[in-house]
């Protein structure tokens, strides 16, 4: 497989989806978006990617059946993402490619945090360029207090684990909430400040405006 094709397929596996804009920004900034579109159309024909509608006219891609067989992934990974998985994975993708972050794979998480139980490994985790580990909670359309409580619960469940507490004590962990607008981010921050959290905990809010379109699509 050509190197760029391999990069696109690996990128799609890591982030659970990809878009032409994301591929161009992260992998192929030297070629036009139209050229990237031609590459992904060919990869779809070859069974290395599968295409689904995102926010018209934009599509998103999952690993194709050929890629799943090569990578040892279950064939369900070729299917469209569900109503919660799509906005969550898309928001994490945009957060990472615009913020010099990387989404951690399950293999990487098993290596970095072998003490985390399986039920706490399904949420998205990212890592900054400086090596700071982040747990990401995506706003799926709930009220600011609902989002804040969900994020606080995410954090509290992990603080029951001594090794996780050590990450916090060493300033090596950050809780992240991704939402749609600056105004909602302010309300979530206010709600979070009213909930009990460790003084040592880092907390970061980021806005992903395109997330609003997926919320509207699902209403």
């Amino acid at each position: 497989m050509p190197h760029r094709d391999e990069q696109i397929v690996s990128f799609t596996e890591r982030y659970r989806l990809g878009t032409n804009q994301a591929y161009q920004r992260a992998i192929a900034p030297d070629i036009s978006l139209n050229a990237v579109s031609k590459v992904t159309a060919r990869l779809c024909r070859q069974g290395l990617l599968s295409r689904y509608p995102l926010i018209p006219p934009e599509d998103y891609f999952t690993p194709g059946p050929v890629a799943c067989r090569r990578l040892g992934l279950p064939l369900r990974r070729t299917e469209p993402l569900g109503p919660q998985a799509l906005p969550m994975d898309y928001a994490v993708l945009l957060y990472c490619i615009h913020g010099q972050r990387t989404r951690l794979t399950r293999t990487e998480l098993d290596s970095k945090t072998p003490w985390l139980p399986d039920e706490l490994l399904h949420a998205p985790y990212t890592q900054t360029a400086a090596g700071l580990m982040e747990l990401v909670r995506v706003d799926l359309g709930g009220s600011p207090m609902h989002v804040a409580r969900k994020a606080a619960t995410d954090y509290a469940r992990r603080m029951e684990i001594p090794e996780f507490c050590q990450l916090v004590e060493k300033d090596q962990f950050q809780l992240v909430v991704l939402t749609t607008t600056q105004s909602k981010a302010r309300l979530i921050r206010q709600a979070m400040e009213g909930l009990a959290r460790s003084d040592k905990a880092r907390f970061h809010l980021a806005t992903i405006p395109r997330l609003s379109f997926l919320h509207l699509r699902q209403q």
Side-chain angles (χ1 to χ4, degrees):
M1 189 189 306
H3 180 59
R4 183 164 282 169
D5 291 2
E6 186 176 346
Q7 285 181 300
I8 289 173
V9 171
S10 296
F11 181 94
T12 310
E13 179 197 8
R14 175 179 292 278
Y15 290 95
R16 306 187 70 82
L17 82 167
T19 66
N20 287 322
Q21 289 85 347
Y23 297 139
Q24 183 191 39
R25 184 178 182 91
I27 297 170
D30 56 319
I31 65 175
S32 69
L33 187 59
N34 185 56
V36 174
S37 300
K38 291 179 179 178
V39 172
T40 54
R42 172 176 54 79
L43 293 176
C44 286
R45 291 194 299 271
Q46 294 173 340
L48 292 166
L49 293 178
S50 295
R51 181 196 301 265
Y52 300 101
L54 180 60
I55 301 166
E58 189 176 8
D59 293 328
Y60 73 95
F61 304 89
T62 62
V66 173
C68 285
R69 286 194 291 270
R70 290 183 181 180
L71 297 169
L73 301 174
L75 281 177
R76 66 174 180 274
R77 287 287 299 275
T78 69
E79 298 172 359
L81 297 172
Q84 290 192 341
L86 178 56
M88 181 178 72
D89 290 332
Y90 183 54
V92 172
L93 169 68
L94 295 182
Y95 175 64
C96 287
I97 65 172
H98 291 283
Q100 296 185 318
R101 288 167 165 83
T102 302
R103 181 168 181 167
L104 296 172
T105 66
R106 178 59 182 266
T107 300
E108 289 166 345
L109 283 170
D110 286 341
S111 174
K112 289 176 175 294
T113 58
W115 33 264
L116 267 180
D118 184 73
E119 65 268 18
L120 298 183
L121 289 171
H122 299 294
Y125 292 84
T126 60
Q127 183 170 286
T128 69
L132 182 68
M133 184 178 177
E134 300 175 317
L135 168 66
V136 183
R137 161 65 61 173
V138 178
D139 171 11
L140 297 177
S143 70
M145 180 55 74
H146 174 80
V147 176
R149 283 176 174 157
K150 287 282 191 180
T153 298
D154 289 341
Y155 178 75
R157 291 181 68 193
R158 287 159 179 82
M159 283 299 287
E160 296 172 357
I161 302 168
E163 293 88 346
F164 183 84
C165 294
Q166 291 175 15
L167 281 182
V168 174
E169 289 292 328
K170 294 176 181 177
D171 203 23
Q172 295 175 351
F173 172 80
Q174 179 165 261
L175 175 63
V176 175
V177 174
L178 305 183
T179 189
T180 50
T181 64
Q182 290 290 344
S183 58
K184 189 165 186 183
R186 285 193 294 271
L187 292 173
I188 293 171
R189 182 173 293 280
Q190 290 171 8
M192 288 294 295
E193 288 171 352
L195 299 173
R197 292 187 299 114
S198 166
D199 292 337
K200 293 277 188 180
R202 283 175 172 253
F203 176 55
H204 177 61
L205 267 160
T207 56
I208 310 291
R210 286 183 68 78
L211 193 54
S212 300
F213 293 99
L214 290 180
H215 289 175
L216 290 172
R217 182 180 120 167
Q218 293 172 38
Q219 290 177 358

